[in-house]
mmCIF file of all heavy atoms in Angstrom:
data_model
loop_
_atom_site.group_PDB
_atom_site.id
_atom_site.type_symbol
_atom_site.label_atom_id
_atom_site.label_comp_id
_atom_site.label_asym_id
_atom_site.label_seq_id
_atom_site.Cartn_x
_atom_site.Cartn_y
_atom_site.Cartn_z
ATOM 1 N N ALA K 869 84.747 74.036 -29.906
ATOM 2 C CA ALA K 869 85.598 72.857 -29.834
ATOM 3 C C ALA K 869 86.419 72.959 -28.555
ATOM 4 O O ALA K 869 87.039 73.984 -28.289
ATOM 5 C CB ALA K 869 86.509 72.780 -31.050
ATOM 6 N N VAL K 870 86.383 71.905 -27.760
ATOM 7 C CA VAL K 870 87.111 71.865 -26.494
ATOM 8 C C VAL K 870 88.104 70.708 -26.557
ATOM 9 O O VAL K 870 87.719 69.571 -26.851
ATOM 10 C CB VAL K 870 86.134 71.667 -25.305
ATOM 11 C CG1 VAL K 870 86.897 71.622 -23.986
ATOM 12 C CG2 VAL K 870 85.078 72.763 -25.281
ATOM 13 N N LEU K 871 89.370 70.987 -26.295
ATOM 14 C CA LEU K 871 90.403 69.962 -26.307
ATOM 15 C C LEU K 871 90.910 69.736 -24.893
ATOM 16 O O LEU K 871 91.398 70.653 -24.242
ATOM 17 C CB LEU K 871 91.570 70.369 -27.213
ATOM 18 C CG LEU K 871 92.803 69.458 -27.178
ATOM 19 C CD1 LEU K 871 92.450 68.042 -27.627
ATOM 20 C CD2 LEU K 871 93.916 70.047 -28.019
ATOM 21 N N ASP K 872 90.763 68.510 -24.420
ATOM 22 C CA ASP K 872 91.312 68.095 -23.132
ATOM 23 C C ASP K 872 92.685 67.506 -23.428
ATOM 24 O O ASP K 872 92.809 66.362 -23.868
ATOM 25 C CB ASP K 872 90.392 67.059 -22.483
ATOM 26 C CG ASP K 872 90.873 66.596 -21.119
ATOM 27 O OD1 ASP K 872 92.066 66.782 -20.801
ATOM 28 O OD2 ASP K 872 90.061 66.034 -20.376
ATOM 29 N N VAL K 873 93.723 68.303 -23.226
ATOM 30 C CA VAL K 873 95.085 67.905 -23.559
ATOM 31 C C VAL K 873 95.532 66.726 -22.701
ATOM 32 O O VAL K 873 96.245 65.844 -23.176
ATOM 33 C CB VAL K 873 96.055 69.102 -23.401
ATOM 34 C CG1 VAL K 873 97.485 68.695 -23.654
ATOM 35 C CG2 VAL K 873 95.648 70.231 -24.322
ATOM 36 N N ARG K 874 95.101 66.682 -21.475
ATOM 37 C CA ARG K 874 95.502 65.616 -20.551
ATOM 38 C C ARG K 874 95.081 64.251 -21.080
ATOM 39 O O ARG K 874 95.836 63.295 -21.043
ATOM 40 C CB ARG K 874 94.893 65.868 -19.178
ATOM 41 C CG ARG K 874 95.258 64.839 -18.139
ATOM 42 C CD ARG K 874 94.540 65.104 -16.851
ATOM 43 N NE ARG K 874 93.108 64.927 -17.099
ATOM 44 C CZ ARG K 874 92.160 65.037 -16.203
ATOM 45 N NH1 ARG K 874 92.472 65.370 -14.976
ATOM 46 N NH2 ARG K 874 90.910 64.854 -16.504
ATOM 47 N N ARG K 875 93.857 64.166 -21.577
ATOM 48 C CA ARG K 875 93.336 62.884 -22.074
ATOM 49 C C ARG K 875 93.437 62.757 -23.591
ATOM 50 O O ARG K 875 93.166 61.697 -24.131
ATOM 51 C CB ARG K 875 91.879 62.707 -21.656
ATOM 52 C CG ARG K 875 91.715 62.605 -20.156
ATOM 53 C CD ARG K 875 90.312 62.304 -19.745
ATOM 54 N NE ARG K 875 89.375 63.238 -20.368
ATOM 55 C CZ ARG K 875 88.068 63.113 -20.309
ATOM 56 N NH1 ARG K 875 87.532 62.112 -19.671
ATOM 57 N NH2 ARG K 875 87.282 63.998 -20.883
ATOM 58 N N GLY K 876 93.772 63.849 -24.273
ATOM 59 C CA GLY K 876 93.864 63.815 -25.719
ATOM 60 C C GLY K 876 92.516 63.628 -26.383
ATOM 61 O O GLY K 876 92.411 62.968 -27.406
ATOM 62 N N GLN K 877 91.476 64.238 -25.810
ATOM 63 C CA GLN K 877 90.133 64.085 -26.343
ATOM 64 C C GLN K 877 89.527 65.434 -26.698
ATOM 65 O O GLN K 877 89.736 66.424 -26.007
ATOM 66 C CB GLN K 877 89.226 63.386 -25.326
ATOM 67 C CG GLN K 877 89.582 61.944 -25.096
ATOM 68 C CD GLN K 877 88.602 61.272 -24.163
ATOM 69 O OE1 GLN K 877 87.978 61.914 -23.335
ATOM 70 N NE2 GLN K 877 88.481 59.967 -24.298
ATOM 71 N N TRP K 878 88.762 65.413 -27.788
ATOM 72 C CA TRP K 878 88.022 66.584 -28.235
ATOM 73 C C TRP K 878 86.582 66.474 -27.778
ATOM 74 O O TRP K 878 86.014 65.383 -27.748
ATOM 75 C CB TRP K 878 88.027 66.681 -29.754
ATOM 76 C CG TRP K 878 89.329 67.122 -30.326
ATOM 77 C CD1 TRP K 878 90.341 66.324 -30.761
ATOM 78 C CD2 TRP K 878 89.762 68.465 -30.523
ATOM 79 N NE1 TRP K 878 91.380 67.089 -31.220
ATOM 80 C CE2 TRP K 878 91.044 68.401 -31.095
ATOM 81 C CE3 TRP K 878 89.189 69.713 -30.284
ATOM 82 C CZ2 TRP K 878 91.768 69.546 -31.428
ATOM 83 C CZ3 TRP K 878 89.907 70.841 -30.615
ATOM 84 C CH2 TRP K 878 91.185 70.758 -31.179
ATOM 85 N N LEU K 879 85.991 67.598 -27.467
ATOM 86 C CA LEU K 879 84.573 67.687 -27.152
ATOM 87 C C LEU K 879 84.006 68.765 -28.072
ATOM 88 O O LEU K 879 84.453 69.910 -28.034
ATOM 89 C CB LEU K 879 84.382 68.070 -25.683
ATOM 90 C CG LEU K 879 82.972 68.278 -25.180
ATOM 91 C CD1 LEU K 879 82.174 66.985 -25.299
ATOM 92 C CD2 LEU K 879 83.001 68.748 -23.737
ATOM 93 N N MET K 880 83.061 68.381 -28.912
ATOM 94 C CA MET K 880 82.465 69.317 -29.851
ATOM 95 C C MET K 880 81.092 69.730 -29.317
ATOM 96 O O MET K 880 80.230 68.877 -29.112
ATOM 97 C CB MET K 880 82.332 68.685 -31.232
ATOM 98 C CG MET K 880 83.665 68.156 -31.784
ATOM 99 S SD MET K 880 84.991 69.378 -31.851
ATOM 100 C CE MET K 880 84.429 70.375 -33.193
ATOM 101 N N LEU K 881 80.903 71.010 -29.077
ATOM 102 C CA LEU K 881 79.657 71.524 -28.515
ATOM 103 C C LEU K 881 78.836 72.202 -29.602
ATOM 104 O O LEU K 881 79.350 73.041 -30.344
ATOM 105 C CB LEU K 881 79.960 72.532 -27.397
ATOM 106 C CG LEU K 881 80.866 72.042 -26.263
ATOM 107 C CD1 LEU K 881 81.095 73.168 -25.273
ATOM 108 C CD2 LEU K 881 80.278 70.827 -25.583
ATOM 109 N N ASP K 882 77.552 71.849 -29.671
ATOM 110 C CA ASP K 882 76.660 72.500 -30.631
ATOM 111 C C ASP K 882 76.335 73.908 -30.130
ATOM 112 O O ASP K 882 76.854 74.353 -29.105
ATOM 113 C CB ASP K 882 75.399 71.671 -30.866
ATOM 114 C CG ASP K 882 74.533 71.515 -29.627
ATOM 115 O OD1 ASP K 882 74.747 72.232 -28.619
ATOM 116 O OD2 ASP K 882 73.621 70.669 -29.664
ATOM 117 N N ALA K 883 75.477 74.608 -30.832
ATOM 118 C CA ALA K 883 75.182 76.007 -30.505
ATOM 119 C C ALA K 883 74.602 76.165 -29.094
ATOM 120 O O ALA K 883 74.971 77.093 -28.372
ATOM 121 C CB ALA K 883 74.233 76.599 -31.532
ATOM 122 N N ASP K 884 73.694 75.263 -28.688
ATOM 123 C CA ASP K 884 73.102 75.362 -27.350
ATOM 124 C C ASP K 884 74.133 75.104 -26.261
ATOM 125 O O ASP K 884 74.232 75.847 -25.285
ATOM 126 C CB ASP K 884 71.929 74.387 -27.200
ATOM 127 C CG ASP K 884 70.763 74.741 -28.095
ATOM 128 O OD1 ASP K 884 70.613 75.934 -28.443
ATOM 129 O OD2 ASP K 884 69.993 73.831 -28.444
ATOM 130 N N ALA K 885 74.903 74.039 -26.415
ATOM 131 C CA ALA K 885 75.947 73.726 -25.429
ATOM 132 C C ALA K 885 77.017 74.809 -25.427
ATOM 133 O O ALA K 885 77.582 75.139 -24.378
ATOM 134 C CB ALA K 885 76.549 72.358 -25.724
ATOM 135 N N SER K 886 77.287 75.379 -26.592
ATOM 136 C CA SER K 886 78.260 76.457 -26.697
ATOM 137 C C SER K 886 77.799 77.687 -25.920
ATOM 138 O O SER K 886 78.618 78.397 -25.318
ATOM 139 C CB SER K 886 78.481 76.799 -28.169
ATOM 140 O OG SER K 886 79.496 77.748 -28.311
ATOM 141 N N CYS K 887 76.502 77.934 -25.908
ATOM 142 C CA CYS K 887 75.940 79.047 -25.140
ATOM 143 C C CYS K 887 76.218 78.855 -23.644
ATOM 144 O O CYS K 887 76.577 79.793 -22.938
ATOM 145 C CB CYS K 887 74.442 79.140 -25.414
ATOM 146 S SG CYS K 887 73.610 80.471 -24.541
ATOM 147 N N ILE K 888 76.073 77.629 -23.186
ATOM 148 C CA ILE K 888 76.351 77.312 -21.782
ATOM 149 C C ILE K 888 77.842 77.471 -21.511
ATOM 150 O O ILE K 888 78.242 78.068 -20.509
ATOM 151 C CB ILE K 888 75.864 75.895 -21.445
ATOM 152 C CG1 ILE K 888 74.353 75.797 -21.614
ATOM 153 C CG2 ILE K 888 76.280 75.497 -20.025
ATOM 154 C CD1 ILE K 888 73.801 74.390 -21.582
ATOM 155 N N TRP K 889 78.678 76.947 -22.394
ATOM 156 C CA TRP K 889 80.131 77.059 -22.242
ATOM 157 C C TRP K 889 80.543 78.528 -22.180
ATOM 158 O O TRP K 889 81.354 78.923 -21.355
ATOM 159 C CB TRP K 889 80.835 76.348 -23.394
ATOM 160 C CG TRP K 889 82.322 76.404 -23.303
ATOM 161 C CD1 TRP K 889 83.142 77.316 -23.893
ATOM 162 C CD2 TRP K 889 83.165 75.529 -22.549
ATOM 163 N NE1 TRP K 889 84.449 77.057 -23.564
ATOM 164 C CE2 TRP K 889 84.484 75.971 -22.747
ATOM 165 C CE3 TRP K 889 82.925 74.422 -21.747
ATOM 166 C CZ2 TRP K 889 85.569 75.331 -22.151
ATOM 167 C CZ3 TRP K 889 84.007 73.784 -21.164
ATOM 168 C CH2 TRP K 889 85.306 74.235 -21.358
ATOM 169 N N HIS K 890 79.964 79.343 -23.035
ATOM 170 C CA HIS K 890 80.279 80.769 -23.072
ATOM 171 C C HIS K 890 79.906 81.431 -21.744
ATOM 172 O O HIS K 890 80.665 82.240 -21.208
ATOM 173 C CB HIS K 890 79.543 81.421 -24.235
ATOM 174 C CG HIS K 890 79.863 82.860 -24.405
ATOM 175 N ND1 HIS K 890 79.106 83.862 -23.848
ATOM 176 C CD2 HIS K 890 80.873 83.483 -25.066
ATOM 177 C CE1 HIS K 890 79.638 85.032 -24.151
ATOM 178 N NE2 HIS K 890 80.696 84.830 -24.894
ATOM 179 N N ALA K 891 78.737 81.096 -21.212
ATOM 180 C CA ALA K 891 78.308 81.673 -19.931
ATOM 181 C C ALA K 891 79.291 81.303 -18.823
ATOM 182 O O ALA K 891 79.636 82.130 -17.977
ATOM 183 C CB ALA K 891 76.902 81.196 -19.571
ATOM 184 N N VAL K 892 79.748 80.069 -18.838
ATOM 185 C CA VAL K 892 80.678 79.610 -17.801
ATOM 186 C C VAL K 892 82.029 80.293 -17.957
ATOM 187 O O VAL K 892 82.593 80.799 -16.985
ATOM 188 C CB VAL K 892 80.830 78.076 -17.850
ATOM 189 C CG1 VAL K 892 81.984 77.616 -16.988
ATOM 190 C CG2 VAL K 892 79.534 77.397 -17.421
ATOM 191 N N THR K 893 82.558 80.333 -19.163
ATOM 192 C CA THR K 893 83.914 80.858 -19.347
ATOM 193 C C THR K 893 83.987 82.376 -19.310
ATOM 194 O O THR K 893 85.008 82.927 -18.915
ATOM 195 C CB THR K 893 84.524 80.347 -20.675
ATOM 196 O OG1 THR K 893 83.671 80.724 -21.763
ATOM 197 C CG2 THR K 893 84.709 78.846 -20.647
ATOM 198 N N ILE K 894 82.918 83.055 -19.693
ATOM 199 C CA ILE K 894 82.937 84.519 -19.702
ATOM 200 C C ILE K 894 82.376 85.087 -18.402
ATOM 201 O O ILE K 894 82.960 85.985 -17.801
ATOM 202 C CB ILE K 894 82.142 85.071 -20.906
ATOM 203 C CG1 ILE K 894 82.742 84.579 -22.220
ATOM 204 C CG2 ILE K 894 82.076 86.594 -20.864
ATOM 205 C CD1 ILE K 894 84.176 84.973 -22.447
ATOM 206 N N ARG K 895 81.236 84.551 -17.954
ATOM 207 C CA ARG K 895 80.570 85.082 -16.760
ATOM 208 C C ARG K 895 80.937 84.344 -15.485
ATOM 209 O O ARG K 895 80.638 84.810 -14.391
ATOM 210 C CB ARG K 895 79.056 85.050 -16.934
ATOM 211 C CG ARG K 895 78.590 85.874 -18.103
ATOM 212 C CD ARG K 895 77.121 86.073 -18.197
ATOM 213 N NE ARG K 895 76.293 84.911 -18.006
ATOM 214 C CZ ARG K 895 75.039 84.811 -18.427
ATOM 215 N NH1 ARG K 895 74.495 85.809 -19.082
ATOM 216 N NH2 ARG K 895 74.342 83.730 -18.198
ATOM 217 N N GLY K 896 81.533 83.169 -15.614
ATOM 218 C CA GLY K 896 81.922 82.406 -14.438
ATOM 219 C C GLY K 896 80.824 81.521 -13.871
ATOM 220 O O GLY K 896 80.993 80.907 -12.839
ATOM 221 N N GLY K 897 79.696 81.446 -14.542
ATOM 222 C CA GLY K 897 78.605 80.605 -14.076
ATOM 223 C C GLY K 897 77.386 80.743 -14.961
ATOM 224 O O GLY K 897 77.380 81.503 -15.934
#
Side-chain angles (χ1 to χ4, degrees):
V870 180
L871 173 61
D872 181 341
V873 176
R874 181 184 65 178
R875 295 185 308 172
Q877 292 184 333
W878 286 93
L879 177 62
M880 304 305 288
L881 305 178
D882 64 13
D884 294 334
S886 185
C887 180
I888 297 168
W889 181 266
H890 183 266
V892 168
T893 57
I894 300 300
R895 300 190 314 201

